[in-house]
Each structure stands twice: as C-alpha cells, then as structure tokens.
Amino acid sequence: MGLFSGIKRQLLKVIEWKDESKDTIVYRYPLTDRDEIMTSSTLVVRESQCAVFVHKGKIADVFEPGTYKLSTENIPFLTKLLSLPTGFESRIKAEVYYVNTKQFIGQKWGTQNPIMMRDDEFGNIRVRGFGIYSFKVSDASKFLKEMFGTNAVYKTEDVVEQIKPMLIQAITDAIAESKISALDLAANYKEFSNTVVESSKGDFDEYGLSITKFVIENISLPEEVEKALDERTRLGVLEDKLGTYTQLRAADAIGDAAKNPNGGNLAGLGVGFGAGRAIGDTFVNGLATENTPRQKAQNTVKCEKCGAKVKEGAKFCPECGNKMEQEKVKCPECGAEVAKNAKFCPECGKKLVLEDTVCPKCGAKVKAGAKFCPECGEKLN
C-alpha cells in the first residue's frame, strides 16, 4: 500500500495556480510534509504569472509563463540541487511562490492632509486631491526580497498602505514645483499624472514595482477661495447692469435687512426699515445713474480778463462783467468781419441769416439755404 501511494505521488505531481481572485499578488503553492517536488513533475505558469523557486531561504530560479517538465536537462538549478552528497535523488525540497504580474487597477488615492501651494492671485492656499492609480510587479525577485518575504498570501491591501504615501509625496512635489495658478490646475491634470509616473519610477523600482497609471479625478480649492470665485463670477455677469461692486453689495443688503431678527421689536424694526430704505435708495439711484443718458456737456470759453469759464454765446463774464468778444465771420458780399450771430452786415447791409421760403412751383415750404424743393425737385435760386 505504501509503495503504490509513493509511486502515485511521484508520477502525478503537477504544480499550478488557478487564480480566481482580483487582489492576490503572491500565492505560495501549498506543500505538506508528505508533498515533494519530483524531477518528473510538471510546472504550469500561466500568462500574467511567474513562479519563484526558493530553496533553503534563497531564490533558486524564476519561471516565466509556460509549461515546464522538471528535469536536470532544462532546469539549471536542479542540477546543483541534485548534485548533493546524498546522490541524485528524485525528491526536491523547495518552496514555490506564484507572483501575479498583471496590472492591479482602480486603486484609490487621496490627500489625507491638504497640499500647500503658493498662488500669485490668492496667496498661500491649501488644496486637496483624489483619484485612482494602477500598479504591477515588474521584478518578482526584488518584490520577494523587499516586500512579501515568506508570507503564504500577499494581497493588494498589503501593498497600497506602503506605496500610497509615496504617491502623495510625488503629486505634492509636482503641484508645488509647477507654480501653476490655482485657476489653471484643472487644465493640467494629465501633465501632473505623467509627472507622477515618471518621478516615482526610481522609488518603486527598489521594491520591484511600477506605477502603470495615475489619474487625478479632482483637485479641490479651499471653501473661501471657491466663494471668492463665485463672487467674481456674479460680478462678471451683473457688471453691465449694476456697474460697481457697491451696488451689488447694496442689493444683497436689502435681502439681509428684510430678514432682520429684530422685526418683533419696534425700535429694531424702525432701524431695520431705515437702513433698508437708505440701502434701497442707494441701489435705485445707482441704477438710475447707470441707465439715464448723460447730459451733453456745454461748451465754454475763457474770459480774457479774469480767466473764468463763461458759457459760449454769453455777452458778459458773470465773474467780472467783462464784455465777451463774439466770434467773427466774414460777410459773403463785401468780406467784412461780422459777429457770428449777426443778421445783417454792418458795412454793406447784406442779409446774413437766411429765412424759410416757399417753392415757386408747388408752393411747398422750403428751409432756408435749400437748393431744391423737397416736394417737386424744382431748382431754387
């Protein structure tokens, strides 16, 4: 009975791992005291796996995906193991670790503490961020030595607690060193992500790991900065209607006055009503000023005697009584200088101010100076 069980154990030994989990990185193949790896055993390593043989606490060999028939002809380390003083026995005392080399995606990261950054517009501010990342084992030997040791099972949760602080450090450095304005952070998520992947290669390579993807889902600003941005947006929308920040604040104050908690108190009611009315007057006057066309500025001339500004056309200065010299024009008949508003030339008596007349053909009223009748088109003298 013992003989047949021993033969069965030697001939039917197949080493393989069918991974049905989503988070197992390392799996140690279970070998009991009665189980032994034979030179006739078959080793199966599937895609996205590698098998690590450990003998007496040291890594003997690493097998990439494929099917292997264990023998001294194609497995170099077996030759050394089987050349021991005990002779070429068929039994090999070794441990087999399967390492999952696929990408572990959808791992979450987030800033537990805010990231400090200096902004030219808002000064020193704190921002927070979160997103996801992906990683994989790039060197099984390093990973065994530096991370999982001799654990029977090693999962993603055992790794992320170690690598997450390294990622937060990388994104913190990327944001702080970029000197990008807080308003432009969202436009540079992809650039930040690429920077984190590149800058973290050296640190993760020491553990036999690599970050394959780093995604920033959001970088949030402090609440007070977001309020300032909202206020600025409101000003931009209402700028054409209100014109100034004071008018906007007056509009907000009207609503606050209406919610006065002292409404039940007569004195408080009077104060609230008076303040609300004053604010309302300011608001209304501001709108009226904004929407009322400005009066055309009157032309003035300077008094030659006292320098005061005098309304154009005035005959005397209102300050000193000096007689204002009238603007001169030339008479079209004799060329003499005549006051601009004079009706006749004082030299030749030429009538200077034209009067409305009538068309000699149709009798329509024609304005002074017109060359043709607006009704019949008759040429006028």
Side-chain angles (χ1 to χ4, degrees):
M1 185 70 178
L3 177 62
F4 287 105
S5 62
I7 294 175
K8 182 179 180 182
R9 182 179 59 195
Q10 292 179 24
L11 296 178
L12 300 179
K13 196 64 176 178
V14 176
I15 304 173
E16 64 178 338
W17 176 43
K18 297 180 180 179
D19 180 23
E20 297 180 355
S21 68
K22 295 182 179 180
D23 59 350
T24 302
I25 304 177
V26 179
Y27 173 78
R28 184 174 65 190
Y29 189 82
L31 293 172
T32 65
D33 294 338
R34 293 177 58 84
D35 293 327
E36 296 166 340
I37 301 174
M38 307 300 172
T39 55
S40 59
S41 298
T42 300
L43 175 67
V44 179
V45 183
R46 291 178 168 78
E47 290 293 340
S48 74
Q49 293 180 351
C50 67
V52 181
F53 275 65
V54 177
H55 178 67
K56 293 185 178 180
K58 293 184 178 181
I59 296 177
D61 208 346
V62 179
F63 295 88
E64 298 298 328
T67 300
Y68 303 87
K69 190 73 172 180
L70 301 183
S71 67
T72 57
E73 295 178 359
N74 58 7
I75 310 299
F77 89 93
L78 291 180
T79 303
K80 182 178 179 180
L81 294 179
L82 298 178
S83 299
L84 299 175
T86 54
F88 287 88
E89 299 181 358
S90 60
R91 295 176 294 179
I92 306 169
K93 285 293 185 180
E95 296 176 326
V96 181
Y97 291 89
Y98 276 93
V99 180
N100 215 332
T101 57
K102 70 177 182 181
Q103 292 190 57
F104 293 92
I105 63 175
Q107 308 300 315
K108 296 182 180 181
W109 68 270
T111 54
Q112 184 175 1
N113 296 314
I115 300 174
M116 293 294 299
M117 64 173 292
R118 190 187 304 274
D119 187 87
D120 293 337
E121 189 168 359
F122 299 102
N124 296 330
I125 61 174
R126 297 174 296 174
V127 298
R128 295 180 180 271
F130 63 87
I132 59 174
Y133 66 95
S134 305
F135 73 94
K136 70 175 183 177
V137 176
S138 56
D139 190 323
S141 298
K142 283 185 180 180
F143 188 63
L144 184 147
K145 294 176 183 178
E146 302 295 336
M147 295 290 287
F148 75 84
T150 59
N151 293 330
V153 177
Y154 204 71
K155 297 192 174 185
T156 55
E157 61 186 24
D158 301 315
V159 176
V160 295
E161 295 301 324
Q162 174 67 23
I163 66 178
K164 190 183 296 184
M166 299 165 62
L167 290 174
I168 299 300
Q169 181 180 3
I171 187 61
T172 301
D173 291 343
I175 293 177
E177 294 176 1
S178 68
K179 297 182 180 180
I180 295 177
S181 171
L183 298 179
D184 299 326
L185 289 177
N188 292 272
Y189 282 179
K190 187 174 182 179
E191 288 75 10
F192 286 141
S193 299
N194 294 336
T195 300
V196 171
V197 173
E198 291 297 324
S199 63
S200 62
K201 282 184 178 179
D203 294 333
F204 285 96
D205 184 64
E206 297 178 2
Y207 298 98
L209 297 171
S210 64
I211 300 299
T212 58
K213 194 74 172 179
F214 186 85
V215 178
I216 300 174
E217 295 184 28
N218 182 60
I219 296 179
S220 59
L221 300 173
E223 183 178 357
E224 56 272 17
V225 175
E226 292 182 351
K227 288 182 178 179
L229 292 176
D230 292 341
E231 192 76 3
R232 180 177 300 177
T233 302
R234 292 179 63 197
L235 288 174
V237 174
L238 299 176
E239 182 177 3
D240 295 337
K241 295 182 179 180
L242 299 182
T244 62
Y245 179 78
T246 303
Q247 293 169 353
L248 175 63
R249 299 308 300 168
D252 293 338
I254 292 175
D256 294 339
K259 300 176 182 179
N260 190 344
N262 295 325
N265 184 283
L266 292 178
L269 178 62
V271 172
F273 177 76
R277 181 176 179 180
I279 294 172
D281 292 342
T282 302
F283 177 69
V284 172
N285 292 336
L287 288 179
T289 302
E290 189 71 21
N291 296 324
T292 302
R294 297 180 180 273
Q295 295 181 355
K296 185 177 180 180
Q298 295 180 345
N299 295 329
T300 59
V301 294
K302 187 177 181 180
C303 176
E304 296 179 354
K305 185 175 182 180
C306 67
K309 292 183 178 180
V310 183
K311 181 180 178 181
E312 185 179 9
K315 296 182 178 181
F316 297 93
C317 174
E319 297 293 333
C320 63
N322 182 47
K323 185 176 181 180
M324 302 297 295
E325 183 177 354
Q326 299 296 316
E327 184 179 352
K328 302 290 185 179
V329 296
K330 288 185 178 182
C331 173
E333 183 71 23
C334 64
E337 290 188 351
V338 186
K340 183 179 180 180
N341 297 327
K343 296 182 178 180
F344 297 92
C345 174
E347 297 294 332
C348 65
K350 175 71 176 179
K351 189 175 182 179
L352 302 178
V353 180
L354 299 179
E355 296 179 352
D356 294 343
T357 184
V358 294
C359 174
K361 183 176 181 180
C362 65
K365 187 176 181 180
V366 182
K367 289 186 177 181
K371 295 182 179 181
F372 296 92
C373 174
E375 297 293 333
C376 64
E378 177 71 10
K379 187 176 182 180
L380 305 175
N381 294 328

